[in-house]
PDB file of all heavy atoms in Angstrom:
ATOM      1  N   ASP A  73      52.641  18.230  42.504  1.00  0.00           N
ATOM      2  CA  ASP A  73      53.911  18.487  41.918  1.00  0.00           C
ATOM      3  C   ASP A  73      54.998  17.818  42.639  1.00  0.00           C
ATOM      4  O   ASP A  73      56.019  17.491  41.927  1.00  0.00           O
ATOM      5  CB  ASP A  73      54.156  20.021  41.741  1.00  0.00           C
ATOM      6  CG  ASP A  73      53.348  20.575  40.506  1.00  0.00           C
ATOM      7  OD1 ASP A  73      52.770  19.846  39.744  1.00  0.00           O
ATOM      8  OD2 ASP A  73      53.308  21.863  40.430  1.00  0.00           O
ATOM      9  N   THR A  74      54.842  17.678  43.934  1.00  0.00           N
ATOM     10  CA  THR A  74      55.974  17.090  44.736  1.00  0.00           C
ATOM     11  C   THR A  74      56.280  15.604  44.319  1.00  0.00           C
ATOM     12  O   THR A  74      57.293  15.216  43.968  1.00  0.00           O
ATOM     13  CB  THR A  74      55.758  17.208  46.176  1.00  0.00           C
ATOM     14  OG1 THR A  74      55.611  18.541  46.595  1.00  0.00           O
ATOM     15  CG2 THR A  74      56.911  16.585  46.960  1.00  0.00           C
ATOM     16  N   LEU A  76      55.054  14.251  41.362  1.00  0.00           N
ATOM     17  CA  LEU A  76      55.425  14.278  40.017  1.00  0.00           C
ATOM     18  C   LEU A  76      56.830  14.575  39.808  1.00  0.00           C
ATOM     19  O   LEU A  76      57.557  13.935  39.056  1.00  0.00           O
ATOM     20  CB  LEU A  76      54.530  15.300  39.233  1.00  0.00           C
ATOM     21  CG  LEU A  76      54.644  15.233  37.765  1.00  0.00           C
ATOM     22  CD1 LEU A  76      54.293  13.864  37.204  1.00  0.00           C
ATOM     23  CD2 LEU A  76      53.685  16.275  37.164  1.00  0.00           C
ATOM     24  N   ARG A  77      57.387  15.548  40.522  1.00  0.00           N
ATOM     25  CA  ARG A  77      58.798  15.965  40.383  1.00  0.00           C
ATOM     26  C   ARG A  77      59.723  14.771  40.803  1.00  0.00           C
ATOM     27  O   ARG A  77      60.721  14.473  40.131  1.00  0.00           O
ATOM     28  CB  ARG A  77      59.081  17.188  41.189  1.00  0.00           C
ATOM     29  CG  ARG A  77      60.476  17.690  41.024  1.00  0.00           C
ATOM     30  CD  ARG A  77      60.707  18.919  41.834  1.00  0.00           C
ATOM     31  NE  ARG A  77      62.095  19.386  41.634  1.00  0.00           N
ATOM     32  CZ  ARG A  77      62.546  20.554  41.879  1.00  0.00           C
ATOM     33  NH1 ARG A  77      61.776  21.471  42.478  1.00  0.00           N
ATOM     34  NH2 ARG A  77      63.756  20.898  41.687  1.00  0.00           N
ATOM     35  N   ALA A  78      59.377  14.181  41.901  1.00  0.00           N
ATOM     36  CA  ALA A  78      60.130  13.080  42.348  1.00  0.00           C
ATOM     37  C   ALA A  78      60.183  11.888  41.388  1.00  0.00           C
ATOM     38  O   ALA A  78      61.239  11.278  41.043  1.00  0.00           O
ATOM     39  CB  ALA A  78      59.698  12.515  43.752  1.00  0.00           C
ATOM     40  N   CYS A  80      59.716  12.128  37.994  1.00  0.00           N
ATOM     41  CA  CYS A  80      60.301  12.523  36.687  1.00  0.00           C
ATOM     42  C   CYS A  80      61.714  12.250  36.550  1.00  0.00           C
ATOM     43  O   CYS A  80      62.270  11.816  35.526  1.00  0.00           O
ATOM     44  CB  CYS A  80      60.156  14.025  36.533  1.00  0.00           C
ATOM     45  SG  CYS A  80      58.389  14.445  35.966  1.00  0.00           S
ATOM     46  N   ALA A  81      62.511  12.270  37.663  1.00  0.00           N
ATOM     47  CA  ALA A  81      63.925  12.055  37.546  1.00  0.00           C
ATOM     48  C   ALA A  81      64.288  10.443  37.619  1.00  0.00           C
ATOM     49  O   ALA A  81      65.429  10.147  37.496  1.00  0.00           O
ATOM     50  CB  ALA A  81      64.663  12.722  38.679  1.00  0.00           C
ATOM     51  N   ARG A 103      43.887  16.980  39.716  1.00  0.00           N
ATOM     52  CA  ARG A 103      43.996  18.392  39.566  1.00  0.00           C
ATOM     53  C   ARG A 103      44.152  18.562  38.110  1.00  0.00           C
ATOM     54  O   ARG A 103      44.847  17.805  37.341  1.00  0.00           O
ATOM     55  CB  ARG A 103      45.090  18.972  40.295  1.00  0.00           C
ATOM     56  CG  ARG A 103      46.433  18.515  39.921  1.00  0.00           C
ATOM     57  CD  ARG A 103      47.553  19.228  40.686  1.00  0.00           C
ATOM     58  NE  ARG A 103      48.877  18.596  40.357  1.00  0.00           N
ATOM     59  CZ  ARG A 103      49.576  18.935  39.414  1.00  0.00           C
ATOM     60  NH1 ARG A 103      49.310  20.027  38.682  1.00  0.00           N
ATOM     61  NH2 ARG A 103      50.773  18.382  39.157  1.00  0.00           N
ATOM     62  N   LEU A 110      52.347  20.972  31.764  1.00  0.00           N
ATOM     63  CA  LEU A 110      52.774  19.663  32.273  1.00  0.00           C
ATOM     64  C   LEU A 110      53.904  19.121  31.585  1.00  0.00           C
ATOM     65  O   LEU A 110      54.894  18.625  32.133  1.00  0.00           O
ATOM     66  CB  LEU A 110      51.603  18.652  32.387  1.00  0.00           C
ATOM     67  CG  LEU A 110      51.847  17.508  33.289  1.00  0.00           C
ATOM     68  CD1 LEU A 110      52.054  17.882  34.719  1.00  0.00           C
ATOM     69  CD2 LEU A 110      50.731  16.472  33.194  1.00  0.00           C
ATOM     70  N   TRP A 112      56.174  20.977  29.952  1.00  0.00           N
ATOM     71  CA  TRP A 112      57.295  21.837  30.331  1.00  0.00           C
ATOM     72  C   TRP A 112      57.840  21.405  31.675  1.00  0.00           C
ATOM     73  O   TRP A 112      58.963  21.145  31.827  1.00  0.00           O
ATOM     74  CB  TRP A 112      56.747  23.283  30.375  1.00  0.00           C
ATOM     75  CG  TRP A 112      57.788  24.246  30.836  1.00  0.00           C
ATOM     76  CD1 TRP A 112      58.183  24.373  32.145  1.00  0.00           C
ATOM     77  CD2 TRP A 112      58.613  25.073  30.088  1.00  0.00           C
ATOM     78  NE1 TRP A 112      59.125  25.436  32.230  1.00  0.00           N
ATOM     79  CE2 TRP A 112      59.409  25.864  31.003  1.00  0.00           C
ATOM     80  CE3 TRP A 112      58.707  25.434  28.739  1.00  0.00           C
ATOM     81  CZ2 TRP A 112      60.346  26.840  30.584  1.00  0.00           C
ATOM     82  CZ3 TRP A 112      59.573  26.431  28.332  1.00  0.00           C
ATOM     83  CH2 TRP A 112      60.346  27.114  29.277  1.00  0.00           C
ATOM     84  N   ASN A 113      56.941  21.327  32.660  1.00  0.00           N
ATOM     85  CA  ASN A 113      57.457  20.935  33.959  1.00  0.00           C
ATOM     86  C   ASN A 113      58.113  19.643  34.104  1.00  0.00           C
ATOM     87  O   ASN A 113      59.186  19.581  34.737  1.00  0.00           O
ATOM     88  CB  ASN A 113      56.245  21.057  35.001  1.00  0.00           C
ATOM     89  CG  ASN A 113      55.725  22.486  35.254  1.00  0.00           C
ATOM     90  OD1 ASN A 113      56.382  23.433  34.757  1.00  0.00           O
ATOM     91  ND2 ASN A 113      54.594  22.675  35.832  1.00  0.00           N
ATOM     92  N   THR A 114      57.553  18.646  33.441  1.00  0.00           N
ATOM     93  CA  THR A 114      58.266  17.335  33.609  1.00  0.00           C
ATOM     94  C   THR A 114      59.567  17.306  32.825  1.00  0.00           C
ATOM     95  O   THR A 114      60.471  16.611  33.258  1.00  0.00           O
ATOM     96  CB  THR A 114      57.271  16.212  33.063  1.00  0.00           C
ATOM     97  OG1 THR A 114      56.878  16.475  31.735  1.00  0.00           O
ATOM     98  CG2 THR A 114      56.019  15.967  33.911  1.00  0.00           C
ATOM     99  N   ALA A 115      59.662  18.166  31.783  1.00  0.00           N
ATOM    100  CA  ALA A 115      60.989  18.151  31.069  1.00  0.00           C
ATOM    101  C   ALA A 115      61.938  18.924  31.935  1.00  0.00           C
ATOM    102  O   ALA A 115      63.120  18.487  32.030  1.00  0.00           O
ATOM    103  CB  ALA A 115      60.793  18.940  29.782  1.00  0.00           C
ATOM    104  N   VAL A 116      61.579  19.985  32.657  1.00  0.00           N
ATOM    105  CA  VAL A 116      62.445  20.685  33.559  1.00  0.00           C
ATOM    106  C   VAL A 116      62.979  19.728  34.623  1.00  0.00           C
ATOM    107  O   VAL A 116      64.184  19.618  34.931  1.00  0.00           O
ATOM    108  CB  VAL A 116      61.814  21.972  34.144  1.00  0.00           C
ATOM    109  CG1 VAL A 116      62.609  22.432  35.319  1.00  0.00           C
ATOM    110  CG2 VAL A 116      61.630  23.018  33.051  1.00  0.00           C
ATOM    111  N   TRP A 117      62.035  18.990  35.282  1.00  0.00           N
ATOM    112  CA  TRP A 117      62.400  18.162  36.349  1.00  0.00           C
ATOM    113  C   TRP A 117      63.150  16.937  35.977  1.00  0.00           C
ATOM    114  O   TRP A 117      63.993  16.421  36.750  1.00  0.00           O
ATOM    115  CB  TRP A 117      61.134  17.683  37.080  1.00  0.00           C
ATOM    116  CG  TRP A 117      60.437  18.847  37.746  1.00  0.00           C
ATOM    117  CD1 TRP A 117      60.939  19.952  38.252  1.00  0.00           C
ATOM    118  CD2 TRP A 117      58.994  18.904  37.891  1.00  0.00           C
ATOM    119  NE1 TRP A 117      59.937  20.843  38.831  1.00  0.00           N
ATOM    120  CE2 TRP A 117      58.697  20.190  38.584  1.00  0.00           C
ATOM    121  CE3 TRP A 117      57.957  18.224  37.552  1.00  0.00           C
ATOM    122  CZ2 TRP A 117      57.454  20.634  38.801  1.00  0.00           C
ATOM    123  CZ3 TRP A 117      56.615  18.613  37.905  1.00  0.00           C
ATOM    124  CH2 TRP A 117      56.456  19.874  38.523  1.00  0.00           C
ATOM    125  N   SER A 118      63.000  16.375  34.781  1.00  0.00           N
ATOM    126  CA  SER A 118      63.688  15.245  34.422  1.00  0.00           C
ATOM    127  C   SER A 118      65.047  15.510  33.763  1.00  0.00           C
ATOM    128  O   SER A 118      65.996  14.714  33.792  1.00  0.00           O
ATOM    129  CB  SER A 118      62.942  14.292  33.469  1.00  0.00           C
ATOM    130  OG  SER A 118      62.646  14.902  32.211  1.00  0.00           O
ATOM    131  N   SER A 119      65.174  16.677  33.012  1.00  0.00           N
ATOM    132  CA  SER A 119      66.299  17.004  32.347  1.00  0.00           C
ATOM    133  C   SER A 119      67.565  17.335  33.200  1.00  0.00           C
ATOM    134  O   SER A 119      68.742  17.106  32.822  1.00  0.00           O
ATOM    135  CB  SER A 119      66.195  18.169  31.281  1.00  0.00           C
ATOM    136  OG  SER A 119      66.131  19.377  32.030  1.00  0.00           O
ATOM    137  N   GLN A 120      67.318  17.934  34.367  1.00  0.00           N
ATOM    138  CA  GLN A 120      68.315  18.266  35.264  1.00  0.00           C
ATOM    139  C   GLN A 120      69.474  19.062  34.679  1.00  0.00           C
ATOM    140  O   GLN A 120      70.613  18.872  34.906  1.00  0.00           O
ATOM    141  CB  GLN A 120      68.912  17.095  36.019  1.00  0.00           C
ATOM    142  CG  GLN A 120      67.762  16.281  36.866  1.00  0.00           C
ATOM    143  CD  GLN A 120      68.231  14.989  37.376  1.00  0.00           C
ATOM    144  OE1 GLN A 120      69.380  14.490  37.113  1.00  0.00           O
ATOM    145  NE2 GLN A 120      67.403  14.350  38.145  1.00  0.00           N
ATOM    146  N   VAL A 145      57.121  25.905  35.582  1.00  0.00           N
ATOM    147  CA  VAL A 145      58.148  26.195  36.484  1.00  0.00           C
ATOM    148  C   VAL A 145      59.182  27.117  35.760  1.00  0.00           C
ATOM    149  O   VAL A 145      59.639  26.669  34.718  1.00  0.00           O
ATOM    150  CB  VAL A 145      58.917  24.836  36.926  1.00  0.00           C
ATOM    151  CG1 VAL A 145      60.125  25.051  37.696  1.00  0.00           C
ATOM    152  CG2 VAL A 145      57.941  23.938  37.674  1.00  0.00           C
ATOM    153  N   VAL A 180      68.352  23.413  30.265  1.00  0.00           N
ATOM    154  CA  VAL A 180      67.031  23.027  30.958  1.00  0.00           C
ATOM    155  C   VAL A 180      65.939  23.789  30.108  1.00  0.00           C
ATOM    156  O   VAL A 180      64.807  23.210  29.987  1.00  0.00           O
ATOM    157  CB  VAL A 180      67.023  23.375  32.467  1.00  0.00           C
ATOM    158  CG1 VAL A 180      66.908  24.813  32.782  1.00  0.00           C
ATOM    159  CG2 VAL A 180      65.823  22.656  33.081  1.00  0.00           C
TER     160      VAL A 180
END
Side-chain angles (χ1 to χ4, degrees):
D73 281 348
T74 305
L76 188 58
R77 183 177 184 165
C80 281
R103 65 180 175 88
L110 196 60
W112 174 284
N113 292 349
T114 57
V116 165
W117 295 327
S118 66
S119 75
Q120 299 174 351
V145 173
V180 73

